[in-house]
Amino acid sequence: QQLYTGCTKKMKINRRVMHPDGTATNETKILHIDVKPGWKAGTKVTYPKEGDRYPGKIPADVVFKVVEEPHKLFTREGNNLVYRASIPLRTALCGGSTSVPTLSGQNVEMQFSDVINPNTEKVIPGCGMPISKSPGAYGNLLVRFDIKFPRELAPMCKEAVFKALPV
């Protein structure tokens, strides 16, 4: 969610400072990281010369790496988000609708009349992740389907399905 909206993270670092007289102290510093909307896992943020300090040496850089936490509804594929919609078999075969949530907090009502199979993917343009290098541009929301089969069918239902479906 925070990679969608962007945020500021405060990171506390501890560094060792060696003084010319040979004594050492530990110093704590808070660094602020402005996470931009759409950043990807693995993005590195570097703070030059914020590392340990030793006389006569240039302090090392401090590098933070963005880690993406799993979301309960979506997975990320580049700038696209993937949502798995669970629909009943009847809807998959006969058509219907399903409500698809977005990271912006809105729901998109998706209507379909074609047969949905387990490999079907529908695209909702512009509802994916922000594209960090193109302000105002967004990836897509890909909707993939999990089809819920009934646990059992009455004999009359089986016969009706058998007659209705082509071989």
Side-chain angles (χ1 to χ4, degrees), residues 144-160:
R144 297 178 183 154
F145 296 90
D146 290 325
I147 300 168
K148 296 183 288 188
F149 281 77
R151 292 188 187 271
E152 54 186 56
L153 283 176
M156 281 180 38
C157 291
K158 281 185 185 180
E159 188 177 323

Side-chain angles (χ1 to χ4, degrees), residues 1-4 38-43 65-71 74-81 129:
Q1 189 74 36
Q2 292 176 335
L3 291 177
Y4 180 79
W39 273 6
K40 294 183 170 111
T43 300
K65 191 170 160 183
V66 173
V67 175
E68 195 171 278
E69 294 177 0
H71 193 275
F74 304 102
T75 55
R76 185 173 183 175
E77 291 181 0
N79 293 316
N80 297 327
L81 291 173
M129 290 296 288

Side-chain angles (χ1 to χ4, degrees), residues 96-100 108-112 122-124 141 143 145:
S97 67
T98 189
S99 184
V100 179
V108 175
E109 194 66 25
M110 177 176 277
Q111 304 280 337
F112 42 89
K122 300 282 186 180
V123 177
I124 302 174
L141 177 54
V143 182
F145 296 90

Side-chain angles (χ1 to χ4, degrees), residues 78-91:
N79 293 316
N80 297 327
L81 291 173
V82 177
Y83 174 73
R84 296 210 62 93
S86 184
I87 61 171
L89 179 61
R90 179 170 55 189
T91 304

Side-chain angles (χ1 to χ4, degrees), residues 5 7 17 23 35 48-49 72 103-104 109 122 137 155 157 159-160:
T5 58
C7 65
V17 178
T23 60
V35 177
K49 301 178 184 172
K72 63 180 182 175
L103 270 181
S104 67
E109 194 66 25
K122 300 282 186 180
C157 291
E159 188 177 323

